Amino acid sequence: MDGRKRPSDMTDSEPNEIDATPRASALIESLRSFGYSPATAIADLVDNSISANAQTIDVQFNWAGPDSTMRLTDDGDGMSPQQLTEAMRPGSSNPLDSREDNDLGRFGLGLKTASFSQARSLTVASRHGLTEPAASRCWDLDYVQRTDKWVVLTDNPRGRELETLLDGSTGTVVAWHELDRIVDDRPATDARARKSFLAMVHDVRLHLEAVFHRFIENGLHIRVNGAECQPWDPFLEGDGNTEVLQNEKLELLSPAGATRQIDIQPFILPHRSRLDASTHKRAGGQKGWNLQQGFYLYRRERLIVAGDWFDRGTKPEEHHKLARIRVEFDQDLDSLWALDVRKAKARPPASLKDDFVRIARATRKRAEEVYRSRGRKSVGPAPRKGHRVPVWSADTSGTSVKYVINREHPLLAATTAEPSTASVIGLLKLIESTVPVDHILSQGFRDERLIDSTPGSDEELRAMAVELFCALVRAGRSESDAKLIVNEAQPFDQEASFIQTLDGSRCK
Ligand SMILES: Nc1ncnc2c1ncn2[C@@H]1O[C@H](COP(=O)(O)OP(=O)(O)OP(=O)(O)O)[C@@H](O)[C@H]1O
Ligand SMILES: [Mg+2]
């Protein structure tokens, strides 16, 4: 306790004071409106499980129309009956108090506000040690409405059912009933209602995969309706093609007066041409590439903000989408970063604003260079894994750039008996001299999707790869040689696994 008085400690006999205890029935409804989504609400519960040292967290949404429910089970330290009562209290701890290093909480509210935001009934069962019994408590918003009292229910049927789940183990179970903010009165048989419920469950999983990716990478198991969460790394650090820019350490004075370092690491993600289609799609994130550019704020390994420039004058731009900057801060700096109750918002302290603007500008500049270098990449000196054979090359030796079709490309060699014959050379020169540069420039380069330079459907691309492979085999190349050549030639260099399945005996 911090020594401050609770309303119930006050009496009318004290001078100059009038009791202003909140009305339970009104305030508890207001606590529902902190702006959580189902995903941010579940993330707030997962925070609590992680703080309680859980190794496995199981989230289960059950579709049953208006009677749908959610249950989160963890194998963490659990709570004694007294701790559980305290945990159910809105404002169970003071945000000004310092916290253990691994504690992701701050406000003493999350369990309640996150749950109330989605459901009218919150039941928690917990067991701290095997020698202690499990206990349960339930907030029932209708009961609070009726009684206008801040009371939780004990020994109720929902609680007793959850307690049985803790037979023989420690941990905590959180259950939501009456999900009035998630479902409406459509019955369980309504296919569209069910579909949107399942889409919500999918969103929850993607959100947890991003927010807790570092914990998952370090061995935490989170399951959502049975599906194991896979870490979503915003920087594709394992990919090898991400550019890691200069790291910076900024200094900040903590509220306690200590000098603290803020670690800032800008990344330029690989250009689309360097990623296979599924990696590219997933790396885009839940909001998509464009909206996921900017700063990523981590607090104690937990992702709080996933892409924001923190600058009113700077909007997300297509040509800056490869810029992502990692920032880390500790929980004792929460007040300086204006962390919100949902742990979904924070912004840099005013004293760091100029540095953020400077680092953002430099990172965007480099991101734009990589973004615009698309054509050059396929022609330039940095082919994928040092092997790619481009279709185009750029001759920059003169005052202007000349784009030339690569005479060494194996498809060109394989599909013409003699590629140096006058007619073939003439055709190539014709194409090179009529690249519609004016037209392309007049379209502007604001959005690369405007220019469709894909080689056709996957089937067409693969048919071309088969054609090249067979032409090489017929020309006397070994199968493994032919696969290597196809694999290294643009645009087939993104099709490695398909190329491995090619079979020379089908080329006859
Ligand atoms: N799954 C859990 N396992 C063990 N203890 C828990 C669990 N969930 C909640 N608690 C206890 O209940 C307390 C209240 O949780 P609540 O989420 O409301 O607030 P908080 O985590 O302290 O702060 P914040 O509002 O920032 O989340 C926690 O501090 C913790 O002691
Ligand atoms: Mg919490």
Side-chain angles (χ1 to χ4, degrees), residues 419-440:
S420 59
T421 56
S423 61
V424 174
I425 294 293
L427 178 62
L428 296 182
K429 286 193 168 165
L430 177 69
I431 296 169
E432 289 164 355
S433 61
T434 55
V435 172
V437 176
D438 289 346
H439 184 264
I440 293 171

mmCIF file of all heavy atoms in Angstrom, residues 419-440:
data_model
loop_
_atom_site.group_PDB
_atom_site.id
_atom_site.type_symbol
_atom_site.label_atom_id
_atom_site.label_comp_id
_atom_site.label_asym_id
_atom_site.label_seq_id
_atom_site.Cartn_x
_atom_site.Cartn_y
_atom_site.Cartn_z
ATOM 1 N N PRO A 419 22.119 -17.878 -80.765
ATOM 2 C CA PRO A 419 21.619 -16.573 -80.339
ATOM 3 C C PRO A 419 22.325 -15.375 -80.968
ATOM 4 O O PRO A 419 21.831 -14.267 -80.882
ATOM 5 C CB PRO A 419 21.841 -16.601 -78.822
ATOM 6 C CG PRO A 419 22.788 -17.683 -78.549
ATOM 7 C CD PRO A 419 22.686 -18.667 -79.665
ATOM 8 N N SER A 420 23.441 -15.624 -81.581
ATOM 9 C CA SER A 420 24.135 -14.464 -82.144
ATOM 10 C C SER A 420 23.732 -14.190 -83.598
ATOM 11 O O SER A 420 24.300 -13.337 -84.246
ATOM 12 C CB SER A 420 25.641 -14.666 -82.039
ATOM 13 O OG SER A 420 25.976 -15.831 -82.749
ATOM 14 N N THR A 421 22.765 -14.966 -84.096
ATOM 15 C CA THR A 421 22.369 -14.707 -85.488
ATOM 16 C C THR A 421 21.806 -13.292 -85.621
ATOM 17 O O THR A 421 21.252 -12.745 -84.674
ATOM 18 C CB THR A 421 21.284 -15.707 -85.964
ATOM 19 O OG1 THR A 421 20.214 -15.616 -85.052
ATOM 20 C CG2 THR A 421 21.822 -17.112 -86.063
ATOM 21 N N ALA A 422 21.952 -12.765 -86.793
ATOM 22 C CA ALA A 422 21.594 -11.357 -87.014
ATOM 23 C C ALA A 422 20.151 -11.062 -86.627
ATOM 24 O O ALA A 422 19.859 -10.032 -86.015
ATOM 25 C CB ALA A 422 21.824 -11.006 -88.478
ATOM 26 N N SER A 423 19.222 -12.019 -86.914
ATOM 27 C CA SER A 423 17.814 -11.699 -86.635
ATOM 28 C C SER A 423 17.542 -11.605 -85.137
ATOM 29 O O SER A 423 16.788 -10.745 -84.679
ATOM 30 C CB SER A 423 16.909 -12.725 -87.287
ATOM 31 O OG SER A 423 17.201 -13.989 -86.758
ATOM 32 N N VAL A 424 18.156 -12.511 -84.370
ATOM 33 C CA VAL A 424 17.932 -12.476 -82.914
ATOM 34 C C VAL A 424 18.527 -11.201 -82.339
ATOM 35 O O VAL A 424 17.892 -10.480 -81.557
ATOM 36 C CB VAL A 424 18.539 -13.716 -82.232
ATOM 37 C CG1 VAL A 424 18.417 -13.583 -80.718
ATOM 38 C CG2 VAL A 424 17.844 -14.970 -82.713
ATOM 39 N N ILE A 425 19.745 -10.912 -82.725
ATOM 40 C CA ILE A 425 20.394 -9.685 -82.221
ATOM 41 C C ILE A 425 19.551 -8.466 -82.603
ATOM 42 O O ILE A 425 19.332 -7.554 -81.799
ATOM 43 C CB ILE A 425 21.823 -9.551 -82.801
ATOM 44 C CG1 ILE A 425 22.687 -10.688 -82.264
ATOM 45 C CG2 ILE A 425 22.434 -8.192 -82.454
ATOM 46 C CD1 ILE A 425 22.961 -10.649 -80.777
ATOM 47 N N GLY A 426 19.048 -8.486 -83.826
ATOM 48 C CA GLY A 426 18.217 -7.366 -84.280
ATOM 49 C C GLY A 426 16.984 -7.217 -83.412
ATOM 50 O O GLY A 426 16.620 -6.107 -83.008
ATOM 51 N N LEU A 427 16.366 -8.356 -83.092
ATOM 52 C CA LEU A 427 15.162 -8.320 -82.268
ATOM 53 C C LEU A 427 15.470 -7.746 -80.880
ATOM 54 O O LEU A 427 14.756 -6.901 -80.343
ATOM 55 C CB LEU A 427 14.581 -9.734 -82.146
ATOM 56 C CG LEU A 427 13.339 -9.863 -81.258
ATOM 57 C CD1 LEU A 427 12.189 -9.033 -81.800
ATOM 58 C CD2 LEU A 427 12.921 -11.333 -81.139
ATOM 59 N N LEU A 428 16.568 -8.215 -80.304
ATOM 60 C CA LEU A 428 16.943 -7.730 -78.973
ATOM 61 C C LEU A 428 17.179 -6.229 -79.003
ATOM 62 O O LEU A 428 16.741 -5.492 -78.119
ATOM 63 C CB LEU A 428 18.210 -8.441 -78.473
ATOM 64 C CG LEU A 428 18.075 -9.948 -78.245
ATOM 65 C CD1 LEU A 428 19.387 -10.527 -77.709
ATOM 66 C CD2 LEU A 428 16.948 -10.267 -77.271
ATOM 67 N N LYS A 429 17.880 -5.791 -80.031
ATOM 68 C CA LYS A 429 18.180 -4.351 -80.123
ATOM 69 C C LYS A 429 16.908 -3.545 -80.301
ATOM 70 O O LYS A 429 16.776 -2.445 -79.756
ATOM 71 C CB LYS A 429 19.156 -4.089 -81.278
ATOM 72 C CG LYS A 429 20.558 -4.554 -80.914
ATOM 73 C CD LYS A 429 21.594 -4.033 -81.873
ATOM 74 C CE LYS A 429 22.979 -4.281 -81.282
ATOM 75 N NZ LYS A 429 24.028 -4.132 -82.239
ATOM 76 N N LEU A 430 15.980 -4.127 -81.049
ATOM 77 C CA LEU A 430 14.706 -3.439 -81.244
ATOM 78 C C LEU A 430 13.999 -3.235 -79.896
ATOM 79 O O LEU A 430 13.528 -2.151 -79.574
ATOM 80 C CB LEU A 430 13.812 -4.272 -82.177
ATOM 81 C CG LEU A 430 12.413 -3.696 -82.412
ATOM 82 C CD1 LEU A 430 12.490 -2.417 -83.237
ATOM 83 C CD2 LEU A 430 11.514 -4.716 -83.100
ATOM 84 N N ILE A 431 13.967 -4.323 -79.099
ATOM 85 C CA ILE A 431 13.304 -4.211 -77.780
ATOM 86 C C ILE A 431 14.030 -3.183 -76.923
ATOM 87 O O ILE A 431 13.408 -2.312 -76.306
ATOM 88 C CB ILE A 431 13.278 -5.590 -77.077
ATOM 89 C CG1 ILE A 431 12.416 -6.575 -77.885
ATOM 90 C CG2 ILE A 431 12.755 -5.473 -75.648
ATOM 91 C CD1 ILE A 431 12.508 -8.019 -77.450
ATOM 92 N N GLU A 432 15.360 -3.275 -76.913
ATOM 93 C CA GLU A 432 16.137 -2.368 -76.053
ATOM 94 C C GLU A 432 15.941 -0.901 -76.435
ATOM 95 O O GLU A 432 15.904 -0.020 -75.584
ATOM 96 C CB GLU A 432 17.630 -2.715 -76.139
ATOM 97 C CG GLU A 432 17.968 -4.032 -75.448
ATOM 98 C CD GLU A 432 19.330 -4.579 -75.853
ATOM 99 O OE1 GLU A 432 19.984 -3.998 -76.749
ATOM 100 O OE2 GLU A 432 19.737 -5.600 -75.273
ATOM 101 N N SER A 433 15.800 -0.666 -77.716
ATOM 102 C CA SER A 433 15.708 0.726 -78.146
ATOM 103 C C SER A 433 14.283 1.285 -78.047
ATOM 104 O O SER A 433 14.065 2.460 -78.266
ATOM 105 C CB SER A 433 16.217 0.864 -79.592
ATOM 106 O OG SER A 433 15.388 0.070 -80.424
ATOM 107 N N THR A 434 13.338 0.382 -77.728
ATOM 108 C CA THR A 434 11.952 0.887 -77.641
ATOM 109 C C THR A 434 11.369 0.717 -76.239
ATOM 110 O O THR A 434 10.157 0.720 -76.068
ATOM 111 C CB THR A 434 11.050 0.162 -78.660
ATOM 112 O OG1 THR A 434 11.164 -1.253 -78.430
ATOM 113 C CG2 THR A 434 11.413 0.488 -80.079
ATOM 114 N N VAL A 435 12.226 0.553 -75.224
ATOM 115 C CA VAL A 435 11.716 0.520 -73.835
ATOM 116 C C VAL A 435 10.901 1.809 -73.640
ATOM 117 O O VAL A 435 11.407 2.907 -73.870
ATOM 118 C CB VAL A 435 12.896 0.473 -72.833
ATOM 119 C CG1 VAL A 435 12.375 0.641 -71.410
ATOM 120 C CG2 VAL A 435 13.654 -0.837 -72.974
ATOM 121 N N PRO A 436 9.629 1.688 -73.282
ATOM 122 C CA PRO A 436 8.763 2.889 -73.249
ATOM 123 C C PRO A 436 9.049 3.778 -72.032
ATOM 124 O O PRO A 436 8.189 3.988 -71.174
ATOM 125 C CB PRO A 436 7.353 2.291 -73.207
ATOM 126 C CG PRO A 436 7.524 0.947 -72.581
ATOM 127 C CD PRO A 436 8.887 0.460 -72.930
ATOM 128 N N VAL A 437 10.267 4.301 -71.986
ATOM 129 C CA VAL A 437 10.707 5.077 -70.817
ATOM 130 C C VAL A 437 9.782 6.271 -70.549
ATOM 131 O O VAL A 437 9.369 6.508 -69.413
ATOM 132 C CB VAL A 437 12.154 5.575 -71.044
ATOM 133 C CG1 VAL A 437 12.594 6.466 -69.889
ATOM 134 C CG2 VAL A 437 13.080 4.386 -71.200
ATOM 135 N N ASP A 438 9.450 7.019 -71.621
ATOM 136 C CA ASP A 438 8.623 8.218 -71.424
ATOM 137 C C ASP A 438 7.299 7.874 -70.765
ATOM 138 O O ASP A 438 6.847 8.534 -69.846
ATOM 139 C CB ASP A 438 8.321 8.902 -72.769
ATOM 140 C CG ASP A 438 9.581 9.545 -73.297
ATOM 141 O OD1 ASP A 438 10.541 9.665 -72.502
ATOM 142 O OD2 ASP A 438 9.606 9.906 -74.490
ATOM 143 N N HIS A 439 6.722 6.776 -71.269
ATOM 144 C CA HIS A 439 5.415 6.399 -70.741
ATOM 145 C C HIS A 439 5.517 5.980 -69.281
ATOM 146 O O HIS A 439 4.724 6.399 -68.424
ATOM 147 C CB HIS A 439 4.827 5.257 -71.575
ATOM 148 C CG HIS A 439 3.433 4.902 -71.126
ATOM 149 N ND1 HIS A 439 3.188 3.876 -70.242
ATOM 150 C CD2 HIS A 439 2.239 5.480 -71.400
ATOM 151 C CE1 HIS A 439 1.889 3.818 -70.003
ATOM 152 N NE2 HIS A 439 1.292 4.783 -70.693
ATOM 153 N N ILE A 440 6.535 5.190 -68.991
ATOM 154 C CA ILE A 440 6.703 4.714 -67.605
ATOM 155 C C ILE A 440 6.920 5.915 -66.678
ATOM 156 O O ILE A 440 6.291 6.026 -65.624
ATOM 157 C CB ILE A 440 7.884 3.722 -67.506
ATOM 158 C CG1 ILE A 440 7.553 2.441 -68.275
ATOM 159 C CG2 ILE A 440 8.180 3.387 -66.038
ATOM 160 C CD1 ILE A 440 8.703 1.474 -68.432
#
